[in-house]
Amino acid sequence: MKTKIEKIAQLILDAKNIVALTGAGMGTESGIVDFRSPGTGLWERVNPDEFASIHSYVSNPKKNLDFMLELGMAIFKAKPNKGHKALTKLQKLDKLNGILTQNIDGLHQKAHSKNVVELHGTAYEAICMGCGKIYPITIMIDKFRSGKYSPSCEACTGLLKPNAIFFGEPLRSETLNQADRFIEECNLLIVLGSSLVIYPVAFYPRKALSLDAKLAIINIQETDMDASADVVIHEKIGDVLPLIVNMVKKEIEEGH
Ligand SMILES: NC(=O)c1ccc[n+]([C@@H]2O[C@H](COP(=O)([O-])OP(=O)(O)OC[C@H]3O[C@@H](n4cnc5c(N)ncnc54)[C@H](O)[C@@H]3O)[C@@H](O)[C@H]2O)c1
Ligand SMILES: [Zn+2]
């Protein structure tokens, strides 16, 4: 009987086009709390409708920005962890075509991974809700800290918001199209640290399977897709992904 780690390594060795789909569980080992882990998840502390929805933001930017600044500060000081680094290593072995991430923390890019699609935007930018102008997030933080509780655009005076997707906001069609292409072209999808409850991400493993791709999941908690996956590991990403990648590297180097 092969171990689950060996099984995922074998799936990686056998696949031609591999995509990783990452969620907030990818960032917890860098000190960024996720949303739905029992006991520690953000949504056990605050109600997303009140603090992270587009409606609540427009009606009370200050209240929402207080909360977002706290989350933002954890993100800005975070460093890539063993999991992010293992994905970059896999990419260097030519065994990872791209990364679809729900995270807004930029940690895949900080770890020098390529072809990263940020489905939910990024914490590092602000966007004007009026004209769409993009600013570095520091502009918004400076304005907010100097008492501008409704930070406005220098070009059109529209309200600025962090360039991350809030609840109640649609995802960008360009991003969705890119993600669709990744899913359609892959023959192995590796889900890392996502509860798979937020759409469209929850749909991607189903879509990949329907197109005959293999599915591997590494997530501490169970997900609704576990029963359909080829391999599921309920462990921390940082504890297993580096072992898997080292195994793949060894096999490639030994020419198997
Ligand atoms: N780092 C970030 O940028 C960040 C942080 C919080 C939330 N989010 C947002 O979370 C939303 C979607 O939910 P989601 O599915 O990404 O997160 P989620 O909180 O719903 O699920 C995270 C999952 O990861 C698992 N997990 C936690 N730490 C893990 C680890 N070290 N190894 C393996 N599994 C681990 C948990 O068991 C949980 O099932 C997105 O909208 C995303 O934008 C992003
Ligand atoms: Zn503007």
Side-chain angles (χ1 to χ4, degrees):
M1 231 324 247
K2 281 193 168 179
T3 65
K4 289 177 174 186
I5 286 178
E6 286 170 334
K7 274 192 193 164
I8 297 192
Q10 193 59 52
L11 287 176
I12 291 173
L13 288 163
D14 291 344
K16 286 211 159 42
N17 186 312
I18 303 170
V19 168
L21 174 61
T22 69
M26 191 87 216
T28 53
E29 292 171 69
S30 293
I32 305 170
V33 289
D34 66 9
F35 283 168
R36 297 179 185 81
S37 275
T40 55
L42 268 180
W43 295 160
E44 298 213 342
R45 193 153 64 85
V46 298
N47 174 356
D49 285 338
E50 255 182 79
F51 288 91
S53 77
I54 193 67
H55 311 289
S56 62
Y57 182 68
V58 173
S59 63
N60 191 346
K62 180 181 184 320
K63 179 172 149 189
N64 282 247
L65 285 173
D66 274 333
F67 161 71
M68 285 173 194
L69 202 55
E70 188 188 327
L71 180 62
M73 285 305 145
I75 286 176
F76 301 140
K77 67 170 197 243
K79 294 196 177 64
N81 61 46
K82 287 188 274 180
H84 297 103
K85 289 177 190 162
L87 284 183
T88 303
K89 197 164 165 185
L90 198 56
Q91 209 160 32
K92 289 199 177 127
L93 293 169
D94 217 7
K95 279 290 171 189
L96 183 65
N97 295 65
I99 301 174
L100 294 178
T101 187
Q102 296 177 90
N103 299 342
I104 58 169
D105 56 30
L107 288 177
H108 289 301
Q109 292 91 328
K110 273 195 194 169
H112 307 294
S113 281
K114 306 269 182 298
N115 261 345
V116 182
V117 175
E118 294 177 305
L119 291 157
H120 295 169
T122 172
Y124 281 89
E125 290 174 358
I127 185 167
C128 168
M129 293 179 72
C131 69
K133 185 170 172 171
I134 303 276
Y135 294 88
I137 194 68
T138 42
I139 284 195
M140 209 177 144
I141 295 172
D142 292 347
K143 281 180 192 280
F144 182 66
R145 285 199 171 136
S146 62
K148 292 212 167 132
Y149 297 137
S150 299
S152 58
C153 173
E154 281 155 13
C156 79
T157 73
L159 179 62
L160 298 183
K161 69 177 275 290
N163 195 12
I165 304 288
F166 291 7
F167 282 85
E169 272 193 302
L171 270 62
R172 309 245 150 77
S173 57
E174 193 187 312
T175 314
L176 286 173
N177 290 341
Q178 258 180 312
D180 279 342
R181 248 194 332 274
F182 273 34
I183 297 294
E184 281 156 18
E185 287 170 4
C186 78
N187 32 51
L188 171 63
L189 181 66
I190 308 174
V191 175
L192 299 161
S194 175
S195 58
L196 295 175
V197 296
I198 297 279
Y199 279 84
V201 163
F203 177 65
Y204 291 152
R206 289 178 180 83
K207 181 165 171 178
L209 285 173
S210 77
L211 296 170
D212 287 332
K214 303 279 185 199
L215 175 65
I217 298 177
I218 303 177
N219 200 66
I220 296 175
Q221 285 175 281
E222 290 179 4
T223 77
D224 286 351
M225 289 308 294
D226 286 6
S228 318
D230 294 277
V231 192
V232 181
I233 301 184
H234 291 142
E235 309 258 1
K236 281 173 142 185
I237 297 162
D239 289 345
V240 290
L241 195 59
L243 300 179
I244 294 169
V245 173
N246 283 341
M247 203 172 277
V248 169
K249 185 167 188 274
K250 192 161 165 270
E251 289 290 318
I252 290 175
E253 283 169 355
E254 288 173 4
H256 291 293

